[in-house]
Amino acid sequence: MGENLVSFLEKTPDVSHWLVLSSLLFSIGLYGLLTRRNAVGILMSVELLLNSGALNFILFNRFISPGNIDGQVMSIFVIAIAAAEVVVGMAIFVALFQQRKTVDVTQMNMMKG
Amino acid sequence: MDQTMELGFALKNAWLILALPFFSFLIVGLFIRPLSKRAAGIVATLAIFLTACFAYRLAYEYFFTLPGALEGIHKAFVPWSVEWLRYQENMVVSLGILTDPISVMLMVVVTTVSSLVHLYSTGYLHGEDGYGRYFTYLNLFTFSMLGLVTAPNIVQMFVCWELVGASSFLLIGYYYDRPSAVAAAKKAFIVTRFADLGFLIGMLILGFFGFQFFGELPASVTQGLQPFDFMFLTHPEVGAKFLAQGGSFLGISLVTLSMILIYMGAAGKSAMFPLHIWLPDAMEGPTPVSALIHAATMVVAGVYLVARMFPVFAVSGDALLVVAYVGAFTCLFAALIGCTQDDIKRVLAFSTLSQLGYMMFALGVSSFENPLGYTASMFHLFTHAFFKALLFLGAGSVIHAVHSNSIWDMGGLRKKMPVTHVTFLIATLAISGIFPLSGFFSKDEILSAALESGHTNIFVVGLVVAGMTAFYMSRVYFVTFWGKHRTEGAHHAHESPPVMLIPLIILAVFSIFSGFIPFAHFVSLPSPHGGEGAAHGGIDLAVALPSTAVALLGIGLAAFFYSGDTSRIEALSKSLGVIYTTIKNKFYIDEVYLFVTHKIIFRFIAAPIAWFDRNVVDGGVNLSAWGTRKAGSGLSRTQTGQVQTYGSWFVSGVLGILLVLWILSFERH
């Protein structure tokens, strides 16, 4: 395991290295999404998830079919949607804050059975 | 049925006899009753009168216009039927009308008595709350009873059999605010229903073999018939096959077993000992109901069933012996109790039991060699329907006037109620068997049938009971109509309205003259060999003289004890002591039943079953409900309302699945 890791790190960067980066980015985002108590923090974690997705698009575009620009177009879409999502999310949180005086998501337990 | 035969209007449209009362029942019950009580009574009565006219027309056509009818040959056939249930190629059940001498005779009896009772009831129940409901039920009963007597197969008969039981239940419980009426209705229904269980099992045994034989017998036998048709089941070939088939259960041959079980149903309906207990209590119903259902029509359904299945009963001689002895015993037993009862309707109820016993043992003693009993039984059924209905309606008229059922509250009514008095006297003489009233002829025929068939012991019982019948009926007559007014009610009694008297007069006419009908000419046992049985009518002096003598003796005794003051009878009943109280308490049969049901069945069977039901069956159900609820509340703890928790579950689930797939992907390689 250790030798594999060393040889992996010593190699010239190729698609697998980038995929590891993307996976790390996704995992960090997921961890933040599930653990952050502050709604703004959750929103930032979502940004990480989206960006790891966008990175994957770019990667596969670059390494699988370099002649096309489909992946790059998709990543632009992802960025645009992320921006829109942040706007909507922040608007909700502002409204929520006005009512509850907090954006702590553990207080939002109205779905409790 | 011969297609070339020309049928008259009534036979061609025989379905009308069921359709008229049925649609009258529906229309009166659904549409007219909510609008007007009076109109409900009128429409219901008119419909039954129409049915009666139709039945007369049908009887005329059947007995007088069919080929061979005038020579006394009356074939059974089905003028109208529709397919009802088709299970298999051969297993078909139809609804239809069977015309043969006894069914046509009963159609006449049922419609006659029913229409007169309808008419009488318009006066008797005048101004009561349940007036419309009463006539609805009465129409339903008439329809069911006609369906029963015209049933061409045993399935239709069973259905209508239950229908008459249900309408009897409804009518006994007519005064449903009276606890005793409710109890009586339940008792009647449960006892007859219990008996019907036997009928059902017997029917299944008979039907099973009947269906088997249906496939095996040649087409000449099964031509145009269905396996559950009476005409097939009572065919001599079927009986012979049944007997040859052998097979037994608990040492009783299957044919005997099935016939005894069917007889159990008949005994329940006809209130034979020991299933008689419901009939006296059924007197809680309105008196016209007792006249129609519990005297003239429904209770003879059992006799009719035995007569209908007679050829099969005859195949199993033992079943016929059971019929004979149970009938004779009930006859004597009920007459004994009848001598001691104070409630006028109860005396009549026990007298009905006793007369039903006559009809049953008359069937029981007859055979294909001695077919007189069959005719005699049907003859007695015919005459009894009229004079017993008359007695009940007369009793109803008296009760209406005095407002009491006890004969000791009456007295001296012969001047106050002349028409009721005369008609009641006619009926009393008719049931006592005094020449030339109708009861004389039919009872005489039954007694000579018992004597000729060699059942001397049954003949003696019949003769003794004839005397007792005369005694207890004259007792009621003398106490009610002679002597002094014993109560205020009797003092202020007045004659009933004409609408109640007309049925009394008509029935009195029937009671006088129906004995002169040459009954053997119309109804006789169809011989298994094609020709007609050699039943003869006419008076047998060797029987007629002693039976008249005992009847006169009974009447004389009753006059001696009851026509004046009551000191003589009090002395007699005191000297009899325990015997008298035992008889007066109906031999404690009801108490025995109560003991058996409450102390034994309830405690040792019902109570453990109830415990098992409550604890084991209900416990099992409750356990599963409890488990589900607990599991639900446990699982609901996981519903925290935290989206992040849900998300964690989701992610770990996905990871778990991925792990599994990953491991599986190793195994595949």
Side-chain angles (χ1 to χ4, degrees):
Chain A
M1 183 76 194
E3 288 170 17
N4 282 348
L5 189 64
V6 170
S7 67
F8 177 76
L9 288 176
E10 284 175 350
K11 252 177 21 182
T12 36
D14 64 352
V15 68
S16 56
H17 293 80
W18 291 104
L19 283 175
V20 168
L21 174 66
S22 166
S23 306
L24 284 176
L25 209 53
F26 187 85
S27 303
I28 295 165
L30 195 60
Y31 177 76
L33 183 75
L34 297 179
T35 54
R36 298 299 295 182
R37 301 181 70 178
N38 192 317
V40 180
I42 291 176
L43 219 49
M44 290 160 75
S45 310
V46 173
E47 285 305 306
L48 288 182
L49 292 177
L50 287 167
N51 280 328
S52 86
L55 185 58
N56 267 13
F57 276 117
I58 299 289
L59 276 178
F60 289 119
N61 189 11
R62 166 78 179 74
F63 288 100
I64 307 291
S65 60
N68 283 333
I69 56 163
D70 295 5
Q72 296 171 34
V73 171
M74 284 312 288
S75 71
I76 300 291
F77 273 121
V78 170
I79 290 164
I81 285 169
E85 180 247 310
V86 168
V87 170
V88 174
M90 286 309 289
I92 291 173
F93 293 146
V94 169
L96 205 62
F97 186 77
Q98 280 178 345
Q99 265 203 333
R100 295 261 181 122
K101 301 293 170 207
T102 176
V103 284
D104 184 347
V105 290
T106 56
Q107 306 288 311
M108 321 293 173
N109 56 357
M110 287 172 72
M111 280 165 71
K112 187 168 181 174
Chain B
M1 182 63 215
D2 195 354
Q3 286 304 317
T4 56
M5 202 187 283
E6 271 301 309
L7 292 180
F9 166 76
L11 282 170
K12 229 183 250 167
N13 300 292
W15 54 275
L16 271 172
I17 198 152
L18 294 184
L20 281 171
F22 181 68
F23 286 108
S24 159
F25 155 66
L26 282 186
I27 292 167
V28 168
L30 294 176
F31 305 117
I32 302 178
R33 188 172 66 90
L35 297 178
S36 156
K37 289 199 292 185
R38 232 184 122 64
I42 291 170
V43 172
T45 310
L46 282 179
I48 302 302
F49 265 100
L50 208 61
T51 317
C53 293
F54 186 78
Y56 294 151
R57 174 76 201 260
L58 198 151
Y60 167 74
E61 285 175 12
Y62 183 78
F63 284 123
F64 295 102
T65 66
L66 289 183
L70 293 175
E71 291 81 54
I73 299 163
H74 306 292
K75 278 202 151 75
F77 65 96
V78 180
W80 175 83
S81 74
V82 288
E83 191 176 299
W84 177 34
L85 303 169
R86 175 178 281 273
Y87 299 102
Q88 295 173 17
E89 186 56 32
N90 271 339
M91 199 187 260
V92 183
V93 177
S94 291
L95 284 182
I97 309 274
L98 170 68
T99 49
D100 76 342
I102 56 174
S103 80
V104 173
M105 185 269 285
L106 256 135
M107 281 184 225
V108 170
V109 171
V110 170
T111 54
T112 306
V113 178
S114 178
S115 52
L116 293 175
V117 164
H118 271 77
L119 180 64
Y120 180 92
S121 304
T122 55
Y124 187 83
L125 289 166
H126 188 74
E128 297 221 11
D129 286 338
Y131 197 77
R133 175 167 57 95
Y134 174 84
F135 280 99
T136 313
Y137 292 164
L138 220 51
N139 268 354
L140 171 67
F141 170 77
T142 310
F143 158 71
S144 324
M145 191 67 206
L146 285 170
L148 192 159
V149 299
T150 60
N153 55 57
I154 201 160
V155 180
Q156 183 186 338
M157 184 170 225
F158 188 73
V159 171
C160 290
W161 186 270
E162 295 302 339
L163 270 177
V164 291
S167 32
S168 158
F169 166 80
L170 291 170
L171 284 165
I172 297 170
Y174 171 72
Y175 297 113
Y176 57 78
D177 47 358
R178 226 192 259 165
S180 59
V182 174
K186 278 195 289 190
K187 188 172 177 181
F189 194 70
I190 291 169
V191 172
T192 50
R193 198 62 202 84
F194 171 73
D196 293 346
L197 183 66
F199 185 10
L200 185 62
I201 298 171
M203 200 174 105
L204 290 176
I205 300 175
L206 192 69
F208 174 76
F209 287 106
F211 179 62
Q212 256 189 0
F213 301 154
F214 193 77
E216 296 166 6
L217 284 169
S220 60
V221 176
T222 59
Q223 181 71 43
L225 294 176
Q226 291 158 4
F228 305 119
D229 277 2
F230 288 118
M231 277 154 73
F232 172 72
L233 290 175
T234 59
H235 198 281
E237 298 262 348
V238 177
K241 255 186 118 63
F242 211 151
L243 204 61
Q245 182 266 341
S248 67
F249 180 75
L250 296 176
I252 308 170
S253 75
L254 278 176
V255 59
T256 305
L257 183 72
S258 69
M259 286 340 272
I260 286 179
L261 283 169
I262 285 182
Y263 175 66
M264 181 176 156
K269 217 36 129 206
S270 287
M272 289 291 109
F273 180 87
L275 295 168
H276 66 281
I277 50 160
W278 66 271
L279 188 58
D281 286 25
M283 296 301 134
E284 288 291 340
T287 312
V289 168
S290 313
L292 175 60
I293 301 184
H294 307 120
T297 55
M298 188 189 83
V299 287
V300 300
V303 180
Y304 179 71
L305 176 64
V306 176
R308 176 59 72 227
M309 304 293 298
F310 186 81
V312 194
F313 273 99
V315 164
S316 155
D318 296 344
L320 216 48
L321 271 187
V322 171
V323 175
Y325 281 96
V326 171
F329 180 75
T330 309
C331 186
L332 178 66
F333 169 84
L336 263 177
I337 299 175
C339 292
T340 60
Q341 297 297 303
D342 294 331
D343 182 327
I344 185 165
K345 286 180 71 182
R346 286 193 181 236
V347 178
L348 294 179
F350 281 106
S351 133
T352 306
L353 285 178
S354 177
Q355 303 301 312
L356 288 169
Y358 267 114
M359 297 173 209
M360 281 291 191
F361 82 62
L363 282 174
V365 298
S366 56
S367 61
F368 283 111
E369 289 73 41
N370 277 304
L372 181 61
Y374 181 86
T375 306
S377 171
M378 290 297 113
F379 193 15
H380 198 57
L381 190 161
F382 183 73
T383 58
H384 172 258
F386 296 123
F387 58 68
K388 186 50 67 64
L390 175 55
L391 282 172
F392 266 108
L393 294 185
S397 172
V398 172
I399 292 167
H400 196 63
V402 183
H403 301 293
S404 166
N405 276 12
S406 169
I407 52 173
W408 301 108
D409 290 345
M410 298 165 186
L413 294 175
R414 74 180 185 285
K415 293 221 178 64
K416 303 252 181 206
M417 311 177 74
V419 179
T420 308
H421 166 241
V422 171
T423 50
F424 199 90
L425 176 63
I426 290 170
T428 306
L429 293 177
I431 195 175
S432 305
I434 301 297
F435 184 83
L437 299 167
S438 57
F440 169 78
F441 295 95
S442 52
K443 198 173 285 183
D444 179 68
E445 207 160 297
I446 288 183
L447 291 177
S448 48
L451 193 63
E452 276 180 23
S453 64
H455 291 82
T456 319
N457 44 359
I458 290 181
F459 167 75
V460 172
V461 168
L463 198 59
V464 170
V465 174
M468 285 162 66
T469 309
F471 174 76
Y472 64 70
M473 283 319 303
S474 311
R475 167 179 176 264
V476 169
Y477 167 74
F478 283 121
V479 173
T480 308
F481 291 100
W482 292 70
K484 291 190 210 67
H485 311 305
R486 291 193 194 79
T487 56
E488 278 294 293
H491 197 72
H492 296 299
H494 53 82
E495 187 59 286
S496 303
V499 74
M500 288 166 67
L501 296 179
I502 292 167
L504 290 182
I505 295 165
I506 296 173
L507 282 172
V509 171
F510 274 113
S511 302
I512 297 171
F513 294 110
S514 60
F516 291 106
I517 295 173
F519 210 73
H521 179 75
F522 298 116
V523 178
S524 54
L525 192 57
S527 158
H529 312 297
E532 281 297 297
H536 71 86
I539 301 164
D540 185 354
L541 276 185
V543 176
L545 288 180
S547 80
T548 309
V550 292
L552 289 175
L553 183 70
I555 295 173
L557 274 176
F560 173 73
F561 283 119
Y562 290 101
S563 62
D565 62 308
T566 56
S567 56
R568 291 177 190 141
I569 193 64
E570 272 161 20
L572 180 68
S573 54
K574 220 167 263 161
S575 67
L576 281 171
V578 182
I579 303 173
Y580 177 77
T581 31
T582 309
I583 297 175
K584 179 143 186 164
N585 288 306
K586 305 167 221 161
F587 291 95
Y588 299 102
I589 299 287
D590 277 310
E591 282 73 9
V592 170
Y593 267 100
L594 275 183
F595 177 79
V596 170
T597 50
H598 277 141
K599 293 278 156 66
I600 298 174
I601 295 181
F602 284 3
R603 184 179 295 171
F604 295 107
I605 299 174
I609 289 174
W611 181 89
F612 183 82
D613 181 51
R614 223 163 274 148
N615 292 290
V616 180
V617 177
D618 288 5
V621 174
N622 288 343
L623 184 73
S624 72
W626 181 84
T628 310
R629 204 172 56 232
K630 282 288 158 200
S633 71
L635 284 174
S636 81
R637 298 261 164 74
T638 62
Q639 297 278 316
T640 56
Q642 300 292 339
V643 185
Q644 287 178 317
T645 322
Y646 300 164
S648 310
W649 283 110
F650 168 68
V651 169
S652 34
V654 170
L655 288 180
I657 289 172
L658 284 178
L659 195 69
V660 169
L661 292 176
W662 191 50
I663 291 167
L664 285 180
S665 75
F666 281 126
E667 281 180 3
R668 199 167 300 154
H669 293 300

